[in-house]
Amino acid sequence: MAVKPLPSMRRGGSTWPWPVRCKYQASAINWSMSRTRLPCSATRGSPPMDDKSRVFKELGLSALRKKIEDAVVRAETLGALELEEARRISIEEQIREYNLWDDPAKSNEILVKLAGSAKVVDALKDLTYKAEEAKLIIELANTSVVNYGLFKQAYEASVDISISLDHYEMSKLLNGLYDTQGASLVIESQDNDTFSKIWADRLLSMYMKWAEKQGRKGRIIEKCYCESAGIKSTTIEFEFEFAYGYLQGERGVHRMISSLDGSPFHEPGVAVVDVIPLFLDMGSDLLLDNEDVIISTNSLSENGDGQIESSVCVQHIPTGLSVRSSGERNYFANKIKALNRLKAKLLVIMSEQGVSSISSIWRDAIVDPWTQDTRMYMSHPYKLV
């Protein structure tokens, strides 16, 4: 701190004594310090950070406890285990009364139902054990000092409970004939349209991300690239249960529309999606007449790796349906894959028309995916839910 220079120590030509001079210098320093003002600001008293952390943790534990209790109550009030056990017992009694050797097809159907029912019962038993475990952990956490590890364990169990219940409830909604099967999803772009080919590539990315969100994986087995941009067609296989039930509503035309400078809507992107059941446990036992099927090899095409591959096309003459396969290693494997897809499409059409044989299919009643509008999208900055 700077101190003002002291006045002259001399008086009447003589110097002041040393004690007087020291006393005068000390009084000058005190006067200078009294003239200096230090900046200061008044602060309000705030609670310690430990109290805030404790309050936040209590609020978090309260919300966490509520979520866990809701999951446990939902599991206890569902009452699905008793129903599924009664269903399994009924199927077992049916097997005892029925001679499995008389009708192998019917026997196979009954055994598949029994295996599915037993699987559901085991899943519900596991769900009940998890609910009891979460309930017991919460009771222990409430009777003792707060243990965050116990709450974390109970919350993880409640998350598993919610996921299992959602899966069970969805499986009851998807009760169609082939809803439990996997799915082959085919995307084709409109011919001679670069925007449609780019849009088909975006649809492919959307369905792959959807599978990742479901905790599953989709396998791209065919992908035909375009010279300019985008793809001409692609095929994805989802090899998990209820994939066809989830995706069968996606069949039809998907359009990407936009508006430029207030002009009327136009369609820069059009692609069609077709969904075919993918039998996971066993193949289809549907028999096709060789005279009704035309098998041909399409022109060679180049895939994304620069390799040349061929595709096998199978056409069913009575119905006019045609499918193709190009993702396998050789001609024979592509032929088998195409025939299986054709059989799956015929089974779906027979189920929709309520007929029991291929010869009873009404050709004019077959719905072409290109004539069925499924969903419309709008590009940025517009949004369409």
Side-chain angles (χ1 to χ4, degrees), residues 241-281:
E241 288 186 339
F242 297 102
Y244 181 75
Y246 279 113
L247 294 170
Q248 62 177 333
E250 299 295 313
R251 183 187 293 112
V253 178
H254 294 246
R255 304 176 186 272
M256 168 64 77
I257 64 175
S258 63
S259 177
L260 301 176
D261 300 328
S263 60
F265 287 154
H266 68 284
E267 300 173 0
V270 179
V272 67
V273 174
D274 194 9
V275 185
I276 307 170
L278 179 63
F279 297 101
L280 302 174
D281 299 330

Side-chain angles (χ1 to χ4, degrees), residues 216-268:
R216 308 289 185 170
K217 289 184 179 180
R219 187 164 61 96
I220 302 175
I221 59 174
E222 300 172 12
K223 195 172 184 181
C224 183
Y225 290 88
C226 182
E227 295 179 357
S228 57
I231 58 176
K232 297 179 182 178
S233 63
T234 185
T235 303
I236 320 169
E237 286 188 352
F238 299 99
E239 298 176 342
F240 57 89
E241 288 186 339
F242 297 102
Y244 181 75
Y246 279 113
L247 294 170
Q248 62 177 333
E250 299 295 313
R251 183 187 293 112
V253 178
H254 294 246
R255 304 176 186 272
M256 168 64 77
I257 64 175
S258 63
S259 177
L260 301 176
D261 300 328
S263 60
F265 287 154
H266 68 284
E267 300 173 0

Side-chain angles (χ1 to χ4, degrees), residues 41-61:
S41 59
T43 57
R44 294 185 177 181
S46 58
M49 290 303 296
D50 294 340
D51 295 342
K52 283 187 177 182
S53 301
R54 180 177 56 81
V55 172
F56 291 152
K57 286 183 179 180
E58 289 179 356
L59 292 176
L61 288 178

